[in-house]
Amino acid sequence: MPKGAESLLAVLAAHDVEVVFGLPGVHNLAIWEALRKHPGIRMIGVRHEQTAVYAADGYARATGKLGVAVVTTGPGAANTLGATGEAWASGSPVLVIATDIPSTLRRPGVHRGVLHETRDQKAMFAPVTKASFDVPSAQDLGAYADKAVQQATRSPHGPVYLGVPTDFLSADVPHHTVTKAEPAHLVPDLTEAEKLIAGASRPLIWAGGGAARSGAGAAIGALAAKLQAPIITTYGARGLTDSPYVVRGPVHAPPVGKLWDDADLVIAVGTDFDGMMTQNWLQPKPRTLLAINIDKAEATKNYPADVTLEGDAAAVTTALAATVMAKPASVDIESVNAEVRALAEADSPEAAKLLRALEDTDATIVADMCIPGYWIGGFHHVTRPRGLAYPVGWGTLGFGFPAAIGAAVEHRTIAVVGDGGFLFACGDLATLKQEGLPLTIVLVDDGGYGMLRYDQQIANHAISGVDLTRPDFAKLAESFGIPAVTLDGFDDLRSALSAADGPTMIVVNASLKPPINTSPRWYRKSAS
């Protein structure tokens, strides 16, 4: 009979897991020993539990595969909660495996003082996971691991917690056979949706993260071509399709917002119309709304839909594109895109240089919650699905660098971070060097928390707590054996990115104005 740790890895391998991120602890060492012997799963050891989950999330966003983090008990598990919350709010398929104290030492309802003991470890994860499970016995370990994986990867995706008492890992357990069932993507009746589309003269497609996760890009492109309708993508759907109907800018830009205002039908695919995209719902309710979503409640919780098609975004949109009648063009999308480009150039010439430096890159870009990241999230034209990861689900500062570690496992990656957020996880420069990942860090140093400094300035507050003492970031990187270069401004950034090979840091001394997609500058708020 296999040991519990071996059974756990066998389940992961059966679900095609090839890499896990984690940190060893006294209670999970049996998993590390099993990983050492396992031929098909790579363990990437990180320097903080939060990094383990961020990296798993970055890996999931960049690849579409399950991201797995293995951490230890009590404080180790608790350290993951911020990153798990970001995965939850962004719908990332992530499995957090945390050990717990030995089952033989647990006394229900009593905190006995066992090393790393928590009264209810699973309860900590309930608000920030799709589902959470405690393995009840060693014999159930394989079955519960299987159930946890399937929950995380079944639409709608989300992080799942699996708690495993440490003694179960060394126990003899029965072999568990994994059965992978392909989901049946049923298409609902399209009659009412077809009527809405037939009666519309200015349709607009709004594609969200659910559309990206379902792989609906080709279907949305086909529907847009049929209707000659502009496509607005949310942050989670950037790069969804290379259709010429994609609007290359955020809905927070007035020329793009006007498309929403003028539309007589919005076709929403895989979105819940969150506050970050709608300027906290200052965008007016659509005149007519057709929603396509795997979850009807999510589709209609913020704007009521006239018709809801409940089902997989790709399957339903494919069927709809095949049945609707073609329409003439009602919007000159090239003109809208040119207007957005001109707006960005005029608003911040320095930010425009950053955007030009990133044009045409084939790298995955992972942006942090920082002013350069806000510019990229709003205005960078992403050219392929999963080409951008941006933490606006929960808005977790410090996401950028550790999530980029996960993304870089399978693809060259550029992390765009600020000096403040990078310091959250700078110790994982050691991980970057140890694993030799193809990751370039673009660290924009503006002397602290630039966005918060701006917030204080416009509120007429004294500048307080936001100007930071920082290290010499280039020397910090070099101390870990990572080549680094320092630039003043963005003029030479494109050539520096072209020269980067393997783990690299590019420090850019620059201060940017926040873009119009940041909440202090929302145009609908100032007009209300």
Side-chain angles (χ1 to χ4, degrees):
M1 297 177 73
K3 299 296 184 183
E6 297 166 347
S7 176
L8 174 64
L9 297 189
V11 169
L12 295 181
H15 282 288
D16 303 318
V17 171
E18 298 172 341
V19 60
V20 300
F21 305 88
L23 204 70
V26 66
H27 289 141
N28 71 8
L29 289 178
I31 298 177
W32 285 74
E33 175 62 13
L35 280 164
R36 184 180 65 82
K37 301 174 182 177
H38 197 284
I41 300 179
R42 175 184 179 185
M43 167 56 88
I44 294 182
V46 298
R47 302 308 188 267
H48 194 278
E49 288 88 0
Q50 193 170 79
T51 293
V53 176
Y54 276 142
D57 185 359
Y59 176 84
R61 296 192 201 207
T63 65
K65 303 174 185 178
L66 177 70
V68 179
V70 175
V71 299
T72 195
T73 316
N79 278 343
T80 71
L81 292 173
T84 305
E86 174 58 42
W88 160 74
S90 293
S92 291
V94 170
L95 176 61
V96 181
I97 301 171
T99 47
D100 208 334
I101 68 168
S103 63
T104 54
L105 299 180
R106 172 76 69 189
R107 187 180 298 169
V110 179
H111 180 267
R112 304 184 69 193
V114 178
L115 178 68
H116 301 333
E117 181 181 6
T118 305
R119 283 187 297 168
D120 190 345
Q121 187 168 290
K122 183 179 77 167
M124 296 192 301
F125 286 84
V128 292
T129 54
K130 177 184 175 183
S132 52
F133 304 103
D134 276 333
V135 179
S137 73
Q139 307 305 303
D140 293 313
L141 178 52
Y144 268 71
D146 188 6
K147 180 163 51 171
V149 171
Q150 299 211 36
Q151 277 278 1
T153 55
R154 184 181 301 127
S155 295
H157 298 148
V160 171
Y161 164 80
L162 180 67
V164 186
T166 183
D167 51 316
F168 294 175
L169 297 173
S170 55
D172 292 329
V173 302
H175 175 74
H176 176 78
T177 300
V178 170
T179 302
K180 293 190 287 185
E182 290 297 321
H185 294 314
L186 303 178
V187 175
D189 183 7
L190 303 178
T191 304
E192 294 304 313
E194 291 168 355
K195 290 179 182 177
L196 289 186
I197 293 172
S201 59
R202 294 180 68 87
L204 168 71
I205 298 172
W206 176 290
R213 290 187 289 275
S214 77
I220 289 172
L223 180 62
K226 207 74 166 299
L227 304 180
Q228 297 197 55
I231 304 168
I232 293 177
T233 56
T234 69
Y235 296 128
R238 294 287 192 258
L240 173 78
T241 171
D242 62 357
S243 165
Y245 295 94
V246 170
V247 178
R248 299 185 181 186
V251 72
H252 315 79
V256 184
K258 189 175 186 301
L259 296 177
W260 172 276
D261 295 343
D262 291 346
D264 58 1
L265 171 65
V266 173
I267 304 172
V269 187
T271 185
D272 64 356
F273 291 113
D274 64 68
M276 290 291 289
M277 289 305 306
T278 62
Q279 299 176 55
N280 281 346
W281 305 284
L282 290 174
Q283 270 181 211
K285 175 185 175 297
R287 284 180 239 175
T288 309
L289 177 60
L290 166 60
I292 300 171
N293 203 297
I294 194 74
D295 185 330
K296 183 175 182 178
E298 286 293 298
T300 58
K301 69 183 182 184
N302 287 317
Y303 291 115
D306 296 274
V307 173
T308 303
L309 299 177
E310 193 168 6
D312 175 74
V316 175
T317 308
T318 297
L320 195 62
T323 61
V324 297
M325 300 294 292
K327 287 183 176 291
S330 60
V331 176
D332 184 347
I333 296 170
E334 286 189 13
S335 294
V336 173
N337 287 339
E339 195 174 349
V340 171
R341 282 196 303 274
L343 185 155
E345 289 272 359
D347 196 32
S348 176
E350 278 299 297
K353 293 176 184 177
L354 166 64
L355 296 170
R356 285 195 294 273
L358 296 171
E359 283 178 349
D360 305 321
T361 182
D362 65 349
T364 299
I365 297 178
V366 182
D368 207 358
M369 289 293 286
C370 59
I371 295 176
Y374 304 146
W375 276 102
I376 290 166
F379 293 92
H380 174 61
H381 179 53
V382 185
T383 58
R384 61 179 178 81
R386 303 188 178 278
L388 173 68
Y390 180 46
V392 291
W394 227 23
T396 48
L397 179 61
F399 164 92
F401 172 47
I405 288 174
V409 170
E410 290 205 6
H411 203 272
R412 179 174 172 260
T413 298
I414 299 170
V416 179
V417 301
D419 51 297
F422 176 74
L423 288 172
F424 281 36
C426 60
D428 275 285
L429 286 169
T431 303
L432 177 57
K433 174 63 176 178
Q434 183 170 303
E435 300 295 330
L437 299 172
L439 170 58
T440 300
I441 304 163
V442 176
L443 190 156
V444 181
D445 187 350
D446 66 359
Y449 300 128
M451 188 69 228
L452 300 177
R453 186 185 298 120
Y454 179 82
D455 289 334
Q456 290 179 342
Q457 289 169 340
I458 63 173
N460 293 317
H461 292 173
I463 302 302
S464 176
V466 298
D467 293 334
L468 303 178
T469 298
R470 291 105 57 223
D472 182 320
F473 286 107
K475 288 182 178 178
L476 177 66
E478 289 166 353
S479 74
F480 284 90
I482 294 172
V485 62
T486 301
L487 308 176
D488 289 322
F490 297 100
D491 290 332
D492 297 323
L493 178 57
R494 189 182 188 102
S495 60
L497 286 169
S498 298
D501 183 24
T504 310
M505 177 181 280
I506 302 170
V507 181
V508 183
N509 294 316
S511 181
L512 297 176
K513 175 183 178 182
I516 57 177
N517 50 302
T518 54
S519 58
R521 298 193 63 201
W522 287 345
Y523 78 92
R524 293 188 190 270
K525 184 166 64 175
S526 61
S528 62

Coordinates of all heavy atoms in Angstrom, one line a residue, residues 44 53 90 153 221 287 406 412 483 497 521:
I44 N 9.1 23.5 -6.7 CA 9.8 24.8 -6.6 C 9.7 25.3 -5.2 O 8.6 25.7 -4.8 CB 9.3 25.8 -7.7 CG1 9.6 25.3 -9.1 CG2 9.9 27.2 -7.5 CD1 9.2 26.2 -10.2
V53 N 1.5 30.5 -2.9 CA 0.2 30.6 -3.5 C 0.2 31.6 -4.6 O -0.5 31.4 -5.7 CB -0.8 30.9 -2.4 CG1 -2.2 31.1 -3.1 CG2 -0.9 29.8 -1.4
S90 N -10.2 36.5 -8.3 CA -9.9 36.4 -9.7 C -10.3 35.1 -10.4 O -10.1 35.0 -11.6 CB -8.4 36.7 -9.9 OG -8.1 38.1 -9.6
T153 N -10.9 23.0 -10.5 CA -10.8 23.1 -11.9 C -12.1 23.1 -12.6 O -12.2 23.2 -13.9 CB -9.9 22.0 -12.5 OG1 -10.4 20.7 -12.0 CG2 -8.4 22.1 -12.0
G221 N -14.6 36.4 -31.1 CA -14.1 37.0 -32.4 C -15.1 36.7 -33.5 O -15.4 37.6 -34.3
R287 N -29.1 49.5 -21.9 CA -30.5 49.6 -22.4 C -31.1 48.2 -22.5 O -32.3 48.0 -22.2 CB -30.6 50.3 -23.7 CG -30.4 51.8 -23.6 CD -30.5 52.5 -25.0 NE -29.3 53.2 -25.3 CZ -29.0 53.8 -26.5 NH1 -29.9 53.7 -27.5 NH2 -27.9 54.4 -26.6
G406 N 5.7 32.0 -10.9 CA 4.9 30.9 -11.4 C 4.7 31.0 -12.9 O 4.8 29.9 -13.6
R412 N 8.6 32.7 -21.0 CA 9.3 34.0 -20.6 C 8.4 35.0 -20.1 O 7.3 35.2 -20.7 CB 10.1 34.5 -21.9 CG 10.8 35.8 -21.5 CD 11.7 36.3 -22.7 NE 12.2 37.6 -22.4 CZ 11.7 38.7 -22.9 NH1 10.7 38.7 -23.7 NH2 12.3 39.9 -22.6
P483 N 21.8 39.4 -12.7 CA 22.3 40.7 -13.3 C 21.3 41.8 -13.3 O 20.1 41.5 -13.3 CB 22.5 40.2 -14.8 CG 22.6 38.7 -14.7 CD 21.8 38.3 -13.6
L497 N 15.2 45.4 -22.3 CA 14.4 44.1 -22.3 C 14.9 43.2 -23.4 O 14.9 42.0 -23.2 CB 12.9 44.5 -22.6 CG 12.2 45.1 -21.4 CD1 10.8 45.7 -21.9 CD2 12.0 44.1 -20.3
R521 N -9.4 59.0 -10.6 CA -9.5 59.8 -11.8 C -10.7 59.2 -12.7 O -10.8 59.6 -13.9 CB -8.2 59.7 -12.7 CG -7.0 60.3 -12.0 CD -5.9 60.5 -13.0 NE -6.2 61.4 -14.1 CZ -5.6 61.4 -15.2 NH1 -4.6 60.5 -15.5 NH2 -6.0 62.2 -16.2

